[in-house]
Amino acid sequence: MSMSGRLALFSIVFIFLLEITFLVPSLTFYRFNRLQERVDDAALVAEALLSSPNTELDTEQSEALLESAKILDLAIVRADRRERLLLPKNTFTISKTVNLTEMSIFQIMLNGLSCLVSNPNGVMLVVGQPVNGYSKIETSVEEAPICKDVRIFGFNLLLISMIISLLAGLILFVAVSRQFVRPILFLTKAITSYQGSKNPQIKVEARSKIKEFYNAEVSLGKMQKRISSAMSQKERLANLGESVAKIQHDLRNMLSTAHMVADNLEDSHDPKVRKSAPRLVRAIDRAIELSSQTLEYGRVGERKARIEAVDLWETIAEIVEEETDLALSRSVDLTFECANDLFANADKSFTRRIIQNLVRNARQILEEDRGGVVHISAVESDDTIHISVSDNGPGMSDVAMDGLFQPFKGSSRVGGTGLGLSISKELSELMHGRLELTSSTSNGTAFVLILPK
């Protein structure tokens, strides 16, 4: 069922229930009023009899008066005596007595409901206070006609309540549909059409006169515009990325060849060539590293982590040995601290690449500066292992801090791309760990890799 249909149905049901709450009291007080009418009619008959000079009535006249007042007998209760004015035509038995002058509201409602839950067919003795000066009137009435009138009144009232509920529900349905449902359907249709479009260029025009819906339409239009632009840019970047990957692959192969040629230049007899060869080798190394990181960044999400027990002491020791051999300056020292039996529940290849990337970044920054110490430590806590890589270098720049872990933004060294940190963070998350920057000041920088134990 649509939202409009549900709203109409709920409106009809709620209004009908509200009408029912007034229906029951109306029925019960209707019965009370009908009995009071019998008392008042009996009082009029009594007044006519007492004011007539001839109080002796024949049987036919007495029956006519009783029938006109719809009563069976009539008596006046004064302070000192009870006087019967009209006698019944036939004898009958009183089934119950109803004293209208002593009934509480609860008793009025309870007696009224008796007509709805049962089918009484007896005679009631009704005692009431009329509007004239008589103290009390006692009269007997048949209960069946009273209950019949109550049921007819209840049926008519129920029918009117249903008609009112239907009309109110219909009016509310039309009003809400025009004011609220139509704008919502318009927004829903716009979102659905935009989602199912192969070339989503649909824009929502704000046209609602209701402020909240107007703002929603404006926001949806802006969002669609941004998404369309982003999707178009994404498609261009995907095509560009595919082309760059092919170029980088070929470029890396060409640079590897150039690297071998540059290595041979160091054996040249020309002193100028031998002097320039190391700088050429370093430039080619940086170009190869950039090509490799660019290709690796595009493949990070393609494989899943192979979780196993990783010997951290062995992994860190190998990294320190390799980076020490690659260090261009002996002013950079690499130290580590790790227990011999410390294992992490991680991917061995991922863990090695993350730690080596952090160590290499720190080493290269220190080589560009005044030298220093790169320290790696691995400690265990309750259910995790913290691997910290720290240095005493100049710290990260504001630009690098702002673009931390973002590709091509978060690099502190000259010629860096920031791809290493971005790749490392993604690799750590694939192992259900995390990579964080713990500190970066003028006294040094520290990263921590947190892995499951």
Side-chain angles (χ1 to χ4, degrees), residues 269-298:
H269 298 290
D270 190 338
K272 293 183 178 180
V273 173
R274 288 199 307 270
K275 184 178 180 181
S276 301
R279 290 197 299 270
L280 178 60
V281 170
R282 288 195 297 271
I284 295 175
D285 286 338
R286 286 195 296 268
I288 293 175
E289 182 183 4
L290 173 60
S291 299
S292 300
Q293 288 183 344
T294 303
L295 291 173
E296 186 62 35
Y297 177 72

Side-chain angles (χ1 to χ4, degrees), residues 266-385:
E266 294 181 352
D267 299 330
S268 174
H269 298 290
D270 190 338
K272 293 183 178 180
V273 173
R274 288 199 307 270
K275 184 178 180 181
S276 301
R279 290 197 299 270
L280 178 60
V281 170
R282 288 195 297 271
I284 295 175
D285 286 338
R286 286 195 296 268
I288 293 175
E289 182 183 4
L290 173 60
S291 299
S292 300
Q293 288 183 344
T294 303
L295 291 173
E296 186 62 35
Y297 177 72
R299 292 196 297 261
V300 166
E302 294 180 0
R303 60 161 290 192
K304 296 182 179 180
R306 292 189 291 268
I307 304 301
E308 58 182 336
V310 179
D311 188 338
L312 293 180
W313 189 93
E314 179 183 355
T315 301
I316 296 174
E318 291 178 357
I319 293 173
V320 170
E321 182 179 358
E322 290 181 12
E323 292 300 319
T324 300
D325 294 339
L326 293 173
L328 300 177
S329 173
R330 296 306 173 187
S331 61
V332 178
D333 295 327
L334 284 83
T335 62
F336 74 96
E337 181 182 357
C338 179
N340 291 332
D341 57 348
L342 185 58
F343 289 83
N345 195 27
D347 184 294
K348 183 175 182 180
S349 174
F350 287 3
T351 304
R352 177 184 177 87
R353 286 162 59 185
I354 295 171
I355 299 174
Q356 188 159 24
N357 179 70
L358 295 175
V359 172
R360 182 167 298 178
N361 284 348
R363 175 181 61 79
Q364 291 175 345
I365 290 174
L366 291 178
E367 288 175 345
E368 295 173 357
D369 194 53
R370 62 184 182 277
V373 178
V374 179
H375 182 68
I376 306 101
S377 65
V379 295
E380 61 179 333
S381 63
D382 294 336
D383 54 355
T384 58
I385 295 176

Side-chain angles (χ1 to χ4, degrees), residues 354 405 420-430 434-435:
I354 295 171
F405 300 123
L421 286 177
S422 178
I423 294 173
S424 297
K425 183 174 180 61
E426 291 188 28
L427 293 177
S428 67
E429 292 172 352
L430 289 175
R434 63 182 186 272
L435 178 63

Side-chain angles (χ1 to χ4, degrees), residues 189-200 202:
K189 183 178 179 181
I191 294 173
T192 305
S193 301
Y194 186 84
Q195 180 183 7
S197 177
K198 295 182 179 179
N199 185 21
I202 305 171

Side-chain angles (χ1 to χ4, degrees), residues 107 115 129 149 222 233 317-318:
Q107 290 175 326
C115 289
Q129 181 72 42
D149 292 342
K222 292 180 179 179
Q233 184 179 10
E318 291 178 357

